[in-house]
Amino acid sequence: MSDEEKQTVLSDSLDVDLEAKLDKEETALGVEIRGLERVLPEDRKHTTMLDNLTMWLSADFSIAPLANGAIGLTVFGLSLTEAITVVVITNFVVLSVVSYFATFGPRLGLRQFVVSRFSFGWYPNKVMGILSSITSLGWSCVNVISAGLLLTSASNDKLPAWASILILAVLTSVIGIFGYKWVHRYQRFAWFPLLISFCILLGLAAPDITNVPDKNPDYPSRIGNILSYTATVISMVGWCTAACDFNVNMPENSNMFLVYIYTLIGTFVPTVFLMITGLLVVTTAQATDAYAAALGVGGNTPALMQTIYTTKLGGFGTFLTIIVALSVVQVNIANDYSLGLSLQVGGPAFFQRIPRWMWTLLGSAAYILVACFGANSYVSTLSNFLPLVGYWVLIYVTIVFIEDVVFRKGKYDATAWNKPSKLPHGYAAGAAFCLGMVAAGLGMNQAWAQGPLSKAVGPYGADIGTELGAGVAGIVYVILRPLEAKYTGRFQH
């Protein structure tokens, strides 16, 4: 018996076990039992369409987008106009793709990295699952460091960064282990106090906001910085790796246009609002010495936020600082939930027998350790990690999108989700991904590595790795996918 036949037999055995397990969806404590398993059409009872909106409003109303936006000025030295233009245009394109991926949930009842088995096949898709797990951990680190530094500032440095990180991670885990239903219940309301808090921040900063004009007369250098900042903003495409994980319980006959629109509003509005707020807030350092001292040479945006709050509002400002710091809970809930699913995809078959909530706890422990060590180099962690997310995720997204729109035209045999013999081998997707990553490497421009093609733009180079990687992967996949289908016959709908 071949390895693939053995895997199919094992999958059949798993299906029997899972069917028995899923007779009851939750434990007595309300912890979700379901992991990767497809939600059958008759089992989908989640009909609250607005949850597509509130889920993402809460996930994106956090300190992380604000801090990410700020580095357009603090790290890349753009003008305010240039940075805002990049934020609006790039996020609209990227989050439109995220919103399209959200429709996979109601259409197929499958999690995101199960959907990609229909393009990457069984084994290459495991690599995608592992990369997604690493990305989820990385995002959780970035988020919890941002919030942890803010909580530390609110305590006047009496609470060390590691303790702040630990507190926030524990709160996240407590909610995250319960799963789909409780995640939605929490996210329906979590965004509102954050909206109020960030609006107050913007109002407090408004009198000191100053314009940042074009200061760099070297046009090629400016273009290079714009492209590098764009690569950072593109990292928001990382939500594609979890976009449909949170609506798989919605009926097949759901209005897909509403799923798309609600997801787009829920991701685009808070992300753009907060990124622009971050850009505006850091300009106050030009007008106020106390704000400049808080921001520092390293660009500590969380410390600047805390200073603005407490300088203008005193004790109430400290309260708002804590509210904003707690925003990491709702964004990391989404990360931690999808982390468990990605690990189940990326690991061997027995990983699927380990409950998702256990993976959530293990993942939390892992990112707590990493975040505690990375807190002292926050800005470099932020500016170096985010483009790395964009490199591989955009390549992955390109391949899955082409498969869905060009080749399958939305038609899938969803019952084959766990049957390796009914899935493609993934030769075309694997080759396209590898060549796309090579192209991304040639175009990358990081502090620790610079690809030769990035040097073609400006004296300091430009990060064009995401665009090159996605372009090459798309071309290769369009060429190789029909060849794989012809010679293997494995692309059944």
Side-chain angles (χ1 to χ4, degrees):
M1 184 181 291
S2 68
D3 289 341
E4 196 164 82
E5 290 171 331
K6 290 178 182 178
Q7 183 60 59
T8 299
V9 171
L10 180 57
S11 297
D12 290 338
S13 174
L14 278 173
D15 283 347
V16 173
D17 293 343
L18 294 172
E19 184 177 352
K21 182 182 78 172
L22 294 174
D23 282 343
K24 187 176 182 181
E25 293 286 327
E26 299 175 349
T27 66
L29 294 176
V31 177
E32 180 188 16
I33 294 175
R34 187 184 297 275
L36 292 182
E37 305 80 43
R38 183 187 180 221
V39 186
L40 298 177
E42 59 268 25
D43 295 331
R44 301 184 203 171
K45 311 299 183 184
H46 185 190
T47 58
T48 308
M49 190 63 65
L50 273 174
D51 281 350
N52 289 288
L53 173 65
T54 56
M55 169 68 212
W56 296 108
L57 279 177
S58 291
D60 286 314
F61 257 120
S62 73
I63 186 178
L66 188 145
N68 299 350
I71 65 176
L73 301 183
T74 60
V75 173
F76 295 104
L78 303 185
S79 72
L80 188 58
T81 301
E82 289 169 340
I84 290 175
T85 302
V86 169
V87 164
V88 174
I89 295 176
T90 306
N91 273 305
F92 181 77
V93 174
V94 166
L95 296 175
S96 293
V97 179
V98 172
S99 302
Y100 180 82
F101 271 49
T103 66
F104 281 124
R107 285 164 55 192
L108 304 175
L110 296 173
R111 312 289 187 164
Q112 181 54 55
F113 279 94
V114 177
V115 173
S116 56
R117 285 175 175 173
F118 289 89
S119 48
F120 280 88
W122 189 267
Y123 293 107
N125 194 57
K126 287 184 175 294
V127 178
M128 300 301 104
I130 293 169
L131 287 174
S132 177
S133 303
I134 295 171
T135 298
S136 294
L137 288 173
W139 265 116
S140 292
C141 284
V142 168
N143 294 332
V144 82
I145 289 173
S146 301
L149 291 175
L150 193 57
L151 205 56
T152 295
S153 296
S155 70
N156 293 321
D157 295 329
K158 294 178 182 178
L159 187 68
W162 66 265
S164 299
I165 289 169
L166 182 60
I167 291 170
L168 294 168
V170 169
L171 287 173
T172 301
S173 299
V174 167
I175 300 172
I177 64 172
F178 282 90
Y180 186 98
K181 182 170 70 176
W182 286 98
V183 167
H184 275 290
R185 286 180 176 177
Y186 182 83
Q187 304 289 61
R188 284 172 191 165
F189 307 102
W191 62 274
F192 186 70
L194 274 302
L195 172 62
I196 301 300
S197 300
F198 285 121
C199 285
I200 291 174
L201 173 68
L202 189 57
L204 295 174
D208 300 303
I209 291 173
T210 58
N211 185 36
V212 179
D214 297 329
K215 297 179 180 178
N216 189 350
D218 182 359
Y219 186 74
S221 177
R222 284 170 56 193
I223 293 297
N225 289 339
I226 289 172
L227 289 172
S228 294
Y229 182 51
T230 300
T232 300
V233 179
I234 286 175
S235 66
M236 294 307 297
V237 78
W239 278 131
C240 277
T241 62
C244 69
D245 290 350
F246 304 102
N247 58 14
V248 292
N249 287 321
M250 290 187 169
E252 280 185 311
N253 61 356
S254 297
N255 187 321
M256 298 304 163
F257 179 72
L258 284 181
V259 172
Y260 172 85
I261 289 297
Y262 282 149
T263 305
L264 181 59
I265 295 172
T267 52
F268 181 79
V269 171
T271 300
V272 170
F273 170 72
L274 290 176
M275 282 192 170
I276 292 177
T277 297
L279 290 166
L280 295 175
V281 164
V282 296
T283 69
T284 64
Q286 296 184 141
T288 306
D289 291 340
Y291 295 168
L295 185 64
V297 294
N300 191 338
T301 307
L304 173 59
M305 291 174 58
Q306 186 267 338
T307 301
I308 293 173
Y309 273 133
T310 54
T311 299
K312 299 288 183 71
L313 298 177
F316 183 64
T318 300
F319 171 75
L320 291 176
T321 302
I322 294 172
I323 292 296
V324 171
L326 291 174
S327 69
V328 73
V329 172
Q330 57 236 44
V331 63
N332 274 8
I333 283 173
N335 277 323
D336 291 359
Y337 181 82
S338 291
L339 169 65
L341 301 171
S342 298
L343 286 169
Q344 287 183 327
V345 169
F350 76 86
F351 272 34
Q352 201 169 328
R353 297 181 184 272
I354 300 174
R356 177 206 52 80
W357 63 267
M358 289 186 64
W359 289 121
T360 296
L361 289 179
L362 291 172
S364 297
Y367 79 70
I368 287 170
L369 291 175
V370 175
C372 287
F373 286 105
N376 294 326
S377 54
Y378 167 65
V379 173
S380 61
T381 300
L382 192 67
S383 58
N384 290 330
F385 166 70
L386 295 183
L388 291 178
V389 174
Y391 296 149
W392 85 264
V393 174
L394 195 58
I395 293 170
Y396 164 85
V397 166
T398 299
I399 292 169
V400 175
F401 183 80
I402 290 174
E403 176 65 28
D404 181 63
V405 175
V406 177
F407 295 115
R408 292 191 184 266
K409 296 180 172 58
K411 298 177 182 178
Y412 296 80
D413 175 11
T415 63
W417 70 274
N418 207 32
K419 311 292 184 184
S421 62
K422 294 184 178 181
L423 296 168
H425 290 288
Y427 300 141
F433 184 84
C434 290
L435 291 175
M437 288 300 293
V438 170
L442 294 175
M444 72 185 300
N445 186 31
Q446 298 296 313
W448 42 270
Q450 185 177 27
L453 296 181
S454 72
K455 300 176 183 178
V457 185
Y460 307 108
D463 197 320
I464 54 175
T466 48
E467 296 89 344
L468 278 176
V472 168
I475 293 170
V476 171
Y477 191 64
V478 167
I479 295 171
L480 294 185
R481 194 279 195 185
L483 295 177
E484 181 181 348
K486 178 180 179 180
Y487 290 106
T488 67
R490 278 288 194 90
F491 281 96
Q492 300 99 329
H493 293 309

Coordinates of all heavy atoms in Angstrom, one line a residue, residues 274-310:
L274 N -7.1 53.8 12.0 CA -6.0 53.7 13.0 C -4.6 54.0 12.4 O -3.8 54.6 13.1 CB -6.1 52.4 13.7 CG -7.3 52.1 14.6 CD1 -7.3 50.7 15.1 CD2 -7.3 53.2 15.7
M275 N -4.4 53.5 11.2 CA -3.1 53.8 10.6 C -2.9 55.3 10.4 O -1.8 55.9 10.7 CB -2.9 53.1 9.3 CG -2.6 51.6 9.5 SD -2.1 50.8 7.9 CE -1.4 49.3 8.5
I276 N -3.9 56.0 9.9 CA -3.8 57.4 9.7 C -3.7 58.2 11.1 O -3.0 59.1 11.2 CB -5.0 58.0 8.9 CG1 -5.0 57.4 7.5 CG2 -5.1 59.5 8.9 CD1 -6.1 57.8 6.6
T277 N -4.5 57.7 12.1 CA -4.3 58.2 13.4 C -2.9 58.1 13.9 O -2.4 59.0 14.5 CB -5.3 57.5 14.4 OG1 -6.7 57.8 13.9 CG2 -5.2 58.1 15.8
G278 N -2.3 56.9 13.7 CA -0.9 56.8 14.1 C 0.0 57.8 13.4 O 0.9 58.3 14.1
L279 N -0.2 58.0 12.2 CA 0.6 59.0 11.4 C 0.4 60.4 12.0 O 1.4 61.1 12.2 CB 0.3 58.9 9.9 CG 0.7 57.7 9.2 CD1 0.0 57.6 7.8 CD2 2.2 57.7 9.0
L280 N -0.8 60.7 12.3 CA -1.1 62.1 12.8 C -0.6 62.3 14.2 O 0.0 63.3 14.5 CB -2.6 62.3 12.7 CG -3.3 62.4 11.4 CD1 -4.8 62.5 11.5 CD2 -2.7 63.5 10.5
V281 N -0.7 61.2 15.0 CA -0.3 61.3 16.4 C 1.2 61.5 16.5 O 1.7 62.4 17.3 CB -0.7 60.1 17.2 CG1 0.0 60.0 18.5 CG2 -2.2 60.2 17.5
V282 N 2.0 60.8 15.7 CA 3.5 61.0 15.8 C 4.0 62.3 15.3 O 5.1 62.8 15.7 CB 4.2 59.8 15.1 CG1 3.9 58.5 15.7 CG2 3.9 59.8 13.6
T283 N 3.2 63.0 14.5 CA 3.6 64.4 14.1 C 3.6 65.4 15.3 O 4.2 66.4 15.2 CB 2.7 64.9 13.0 OG1 1.4 65.2 13.5 CG2 2.6 64.0 11.8
T284 N 2.8 65.0 16.3 CA 2.8 65.9 17.5 C 4.2 66.1 18.2 O 4.4 67.1 18.9 CB 1.8 65.5 18.5 OG1 2.2 64.2 19.1 CG2 0.4 65.3 17.9
A285 N 5.0 65.1 17.9 CA 6.4 65.2 18.5 C 7.2 66.3 18.0 O 8.2 66.8 18.6 CB 7.1 63.9 18.3
Q286 N 6.8 66.8 16.8 CA 7.5 68.0 16.2 C 7.1 69.3 17.0 O 7.9 70.3 16.9 CB 7.1 68.2 14.7 CG 7.6 67.0 13.9 CD 7.3 67.3 12.4 OE1 8.0 67.0 11.5 NE2 6.1 67.9 12.1
A287 N 6.0 69.3 17.6 CA 5.5 70.5 18.2 C 5.6 70.6 19.8 O 5.6 71.6 20.3 CB 4.0 70.8 17.8
T288 N 5.7 69.4 20.4 CA 5.7 69.4 21.8 C 6.9 68.5 22.3 O 7.1 67.4 22.0 CB 4.4 68.7 22.3 OG1 3.3 69.4 21.8 CG2 4.3 68.8 23.9
D289 N 7.7 69.2 23.2 CA 8.9 68.5 23.7 C 8.6 67.2 24.5 O 9.3 66.2 24.4 CB 9.7 69.5 24.6 CG 10.4 70.6 23.8 OD1 10.5 70.4 22.5 OD2 10.7 71.6 24.4
A290 N 7.5 67.3 25.3 CA 7.2 66.1 26.1 C 6.8 64.9 25.2 O 7.1 63.8 25.5 CB 6.0 66.5 27.0
Y291 N 6.1 65.2 24.1 CA 5.7 64.2 23.2 C 6.9 63.6 22.5 O 7.1 62.4 22.2 CB 4.7 64.7 22.2 CG 3.4 65.1 22.8 CD1 2.4 65.8 22.0 CD2 3.0 64.8 24.1 CE1 1.2 66.2 22.6 CE2 1.8 65.1 24.7 CZ 0.9 65.9 23.9 OH -0.3 66.2 24.4
A292 N 7.9 64.5 22.1 CA 9.1 64.1 21.4 C 9.9 63.2 22.3 O 10.5 62.2 21.9 CB 9.9 65.3 21.0
A293 N 10.0 63.5 23.6 CA 10.7 62.7 24.6 C 10.0 61.3 24.7 O 10.7 60.3 24.8 CB 10.8 63.4 25.9
A294 N 8.7 61.3 24.7 CA 8.0 60.0 24.9 C 8.2 59.1 23.6 O 8.4 57.9 23.7 CB 6.5 60.3 25.1
L295 N 8.2 59.8 22.5 CA 8.3 59.0 21.2 C 9.8 58.5 21.1 O 10.0 57.3 20.7 CB 8.0 59.9 20.0 CG 8.1 59.2 18.7 CD1 7.0 58.1 18.6 CD2 7.9 60.2 17.5
G296 N 10.7 59.3 21.5 CA 12.1 58.9 21.5 C 12.7 58.7 20.1 O 12.0 58.8 19.1
V297 N 13.9 58.4 20.1 CA 14.6 58.1 18.8 C 14.1 56.8 18.2 O 14.2 56.6 17.0 CB 16.1 58.2 18.9 CG1 16.6 59.6 19.3 CG2 16.6 57.2 19.9
G298 N 13.6 55.9 19.0 CA 13.3 54.6 18.5 C 11.8 54.5 18.0 O 11.4 53.5 17.5
G299 N 11.1 55.6 18.2 CA 9.7 55.6 17.7 C 8.7 54.8 18.5 O 8.0 54.0 18.0
N300 N 8.8 55.0 19.9 CA 7.9 54.3 20.8 C 6.5 54.9 20.8 O 6.1 55.7 21.6 CB 8.5 54.3 22.2 CG 7.8 53.3 23.1 OD1 6.7 52.9 22.9 ND2 8.5 52.9 24.2
T301 N 5.7 54.5 19.8 CA 4.3 55.1 19.6 C 3.5 54.8 20.8 O 2.7 55.6 21.3 CB 3.7 54.5 18.4 OG1 4.6 54.8 17.3 CG2 2.4 55.2 18.1
P302 N 3.5 53.5 21.4 CA 2.7 53.3 22.6 C 3.0 54.3 23.8 O 2.0 54.8 24.4 CB 3.0 51.9 23.0 CG 3.4 51.2 21.7 CD 4.1 52.3 21.0
A303 N 4.3 54.6 24.0 CA 4.6 55.5 25.1 C 4.1 56.9 24.7 O 3.6 57.7 25.6 CB 6.1 55.6 25.3
L304 N 4.1 57.3 23.5 CA 3.6 58.6 23.1 C 2.1 58.7 23.3 O 1.6 59.7 23.8 CB 3.9 58.9 21.6 CG 3.3 60.1 21.0 CD1 3.7 61.4 21.7 CD2 3.6 60.2 19.5
M305 N 1.4 57.6 23.0 CA -0.1 57.6 23.2 C -0.4 57.8 24.7 O -1.3 58.6 25.1 CB -0.7 56.3 22.7 CG -0.6 56.0 21.2 SD -1.2 54.4 20.8 CE -2.8 54.3 21.6
Q306 N 0.3 57.1 25.5 CA 0.1 57.2 27.0 C 0.4 58.6 27.5 O -0.4 59.1 28.3 CB 1.0 56.1 27.7 CG 0.7 56.0 29.2 CD 1.6 56.9 30.0 OE1 2.7 57.3 29.5 NE2 1.2 57.3 31.2
T307 N 1.4 59.2 27.0 CA 1.7 60.6 27.4 C 0.6 61.5 27.0 O 0.3 62.4 27.8 CB 3.1 61.0 26.7 OG1 4.1 60.1 27.2 CG2 3.4 62.4 27.2
I308 N 0.1 61.4 25.8 CA -1.0 62.3 25.3 C -2.2 62.1 26.2 O -2.8 63.1 26.7 CB -1.3 62.0 23.8 CG1 -0.1 62.4 22.9 CG2 -2.6 62.8 23.4 CD1 -0.3 62.0 21.5
Y309 N -2.6 60.9 26.5 CA -3.7 60.6 27.3 C -3.6 61.2 28.7 O -4.5 61.9 29.2 CB -3.9 59.1 27.5 CG -4.8 58.4 26.4 CD1 -4.3 57.2 25.8 CD2 -6.0 58.9 26.0 CE1 -5.1 56.6 24.8 CE2 -6.8 58.3 25.0 CZ -6.3 57.1 24.4 OH -7.1 56.5 23.5
T310 N -2.5 60.9 29.4 CA -2.3 61.3 30.8 C -2.0 62.8 30.9 O -2.4 63.4 31.9 CB -1.2 60.5 31.4 OG1 0.0 60.6 30.7 CG2 -1.7 59.0 31.5

